[in-house]
Amino acid sequence: METYANRGQSFLLQTQRADGSWPYHAGGAGYPEPTCYALLALPEAEVSARERGLVWMEQRSAVTGAVTLENDPAPHWTTSLALFTFAELAAPEAWCTRCAEFLLSWEGVRVDPDPAIPLDPRLRGWPWTEGAFSWVEPTSYALLALKRAGCGTHSRVAEGERLLLDRICGGGGWNYGNREVLGRSLEPMLDTTAWALLALQGGAGVAAAVAEGLAILERQVTQYPATLTLSLAILAGEVWEQPVEEWVSLLRRRQRIDGSWRGEVHLTALALLAMCAAEGEGNVFRL
Amino acid sequence: MSSASERRFSRREFLKLAATAAGGALLGGGVLRGINQFKQPAAATVILKATSYEQDLYDLLRRGLAHFPVLLRRCAGARVILKPNLVEYHPGRQVNTHPALIAAAVEALRYYGAGEVIVAEGPGHQRDMELLLTYSGLEAALGQVHVPFVDLNLDDIAAVPLTANYTQLGQLYLPKTILNADLVISLPKLKTHKWAGVTLSLKNLFGVAPGVKYGWPKNLLHWRGIDNSIWDIALAVKPAFAIVDGIEGMEGDGPIYGETVQAGVLVMGGNLTAVDATAARVMGIYPEHISHLMGMRRHGGTVEATRIQQLGEPISVVQQDFAVLPYWAPIKRPPPWIHRLFLVG
């Protein structure tokens, strides 16, 4: 009998491009984010698909260690995802070293203190793009990747964790980057909160922040269930040993007849990773 | 006897000359700018009263669009992208362009012969598009009119050289869905904005910048200046038309945390600067204070009220008094005439 996992994996295999990469949607151009998640979600037995995908990712980061998009030399935010994937799939050490060295040298633009946007501007995290500020999500990606790649004791990691703790919204959880703007407390967002919870694994003094973040997920995920949010909440909840059964059931119901979640590669891969974690078969983001 | 070149100016003469020169320069530059101001192209905008999302918006839009024969000619057989404003989902807050209006616009454009209509957006904050589409009601509304939705954040992208290059980025990455369109129509919400003063059809174009390149939020563009980014995006995308959803707008701490205003209008037109200037006036805001609108005068945008042919309802009939954050208070006051005519922009 075909399981949700078989069907999801079939969808991933069918959408892999000839060059080894994955698009966001079937027929689209290859991008690093769906490629990394698809690689993480495919079983070890899919040797050829994994190898071709890894080679494509390596080509994207071969020059400086920074992942770049086609015809765009600028460092891309998926460098962290590439490092995480290389480390998780035991890619050659040189690939990991190159990416890790780049990540450790990359930082968001620093800002002067501004009472309109209260935060600690000295803290360095990671930006989405070169020349931009440090935000919660790319910083979380970088922390996860560096920890997975064995760089967890680097001072940038500790600083990145402090940055996440500095950006917590008034009532807990994380918005995309700020906690307050012009006197207005920002509201937490579910996907960024889940990523920050994953990134804070092993961090010092994070217990209260984690408890608040988990409480936000528990209160809000079932209010507005959607594939990305459910998948990330399951992955974060499982890591922090929260009950996730209700979320799993909501996520499972969203799988389409073609095995995908919403026909999107990155969502399908994340949903498969979440289901796998919930079923005790291993949480890829557990450090 | 001294030669002319050796002549010394008395202090009185020098001061007189200096004052004349300075005045001449001021007047000369000002007059030039003033003349430039008068060169703003004539533009037509239509204001329609619309009290509710329950009413027949399709019929209303068809009647409104009928005022724009050039658009309708371009529409025939065209691939049209409707770009609404979808930012975040907050129940009870009028953050997003209403699904009923978007669906009605799809149908109205089809009525006028559009070959293909696609609704497309790339939210700047919310990555979970399914959450946004589902709970805003847009997915259901689009399903009813059988129109596809494209997440511009995850679309295939291509670099476009910047002609004016205000951001100094040299090129901008844009979604191919936008680049392959025959017509891009901006469908913003009538809102105040804490960083830009107002967010209307031009600011709405920020959403075409793909997250896959610029992230969430599209912070690089903020660093390069909101005005600069708006100008560069507008010049690269060349939107053909705008329809502002002002049935319910947002005042105060927009674009997300403000309060709802029952403004009861739609504003539309083919000169987006004129549409936005008109919509700002509907909000009781002087567009002459909005720098991204004034800057668009360099590129054919029309702000001056006397250059805008106002069709449908007069502004005075529908005008409201939208609250703004305290530091935006000056945009509610008329600019000094000298400022308006010569010195702005």
Side-chain angles (χ1 to χ4, degrees), chain A residues 17 22-31, chain B residues 150-159 173-180 208 210 212:
Chain A
R17 289 160 45 89
W22 273 269
Y24 281 101
H25 309 273
Y31 281 98
Chain B
V150 173
D151 182 350
L152 296 176
N153 280 325
L154 306 183
D155 201 16
D156 292 349
I157 61 175
Y173 288 84
L174 290 174
K176 288 188 176 171
T177 297
I178 293 292
L179 296 174
N180 295 335
V208 307
V212 70

Side-chain angles (χ1 to χ4, degrees), chain B residues 37-122:
Chain B
Q37 175 97 354
F38 295 128
K39 280 184 183 165
Q40 288 179 54
T45 66
V46 171
I47 299 177
L48 300 170
K49 274 189 183 172
T51 51
S52 154
Y53 293 106
E54 310 297 321
Q55 75 183 83
D56 188 349
L57 295 174
Y58 163 64
D59 182 58
L60 192 64
L61 286 174
R62 273 196 325 169
R63 286 191 281 121
L65 291 172
H67 289 283
F68 300 94
V70 174
L71 173 80
L72 300 186
R73 276 198 297 277
R74 289 183 65 192
C75 197
R79 186 167 194 256
V80 182
I81 306 300
L82 288 180
K83 164 45 182 100
N85 186 219
L86 293 180
V87 188
E88 291 181 11
Y89 174 67
H90 293 277
R93 284 194 208 133
Q94 287 301 317
V95 176
N96 305 313
T97 309
H98 199 283
L101 181 69
I102 300 168
V106 170
E107 300 250 73
L109 289 161
R110 283 177 178 159
Y111 172 82
Y112 283 115
E116 183 185 11
V117 183
I118 294 170
V119 176
E121 165 67 311

Side-chain angles (χ1 to χ4, degrees), chain A residues 126 147 164:
Chain A
W126 283 267
K147 288 177 182 180
L164 290 185

Side-chain angles (χ1 to χ4, degrees), chain B residues 255-266:
Chain B
I256 295 168
Y257 294 106
E259 303 298 325
T260 300
V261 179
Q262 304 291 331
V265 292
L266 299 176

Side-chain angles (χ1 to χ4, degrees), chain B residues 125-137:
Chain B
H125 301 165
Q126 180 57 267
R127 275 206 77 173
D128 195 332
M129 186 56 96
E130 178 188 0
L131 186 156
L132 198 46
L133 287 173
T134 304
Y135 301 105
S136 69

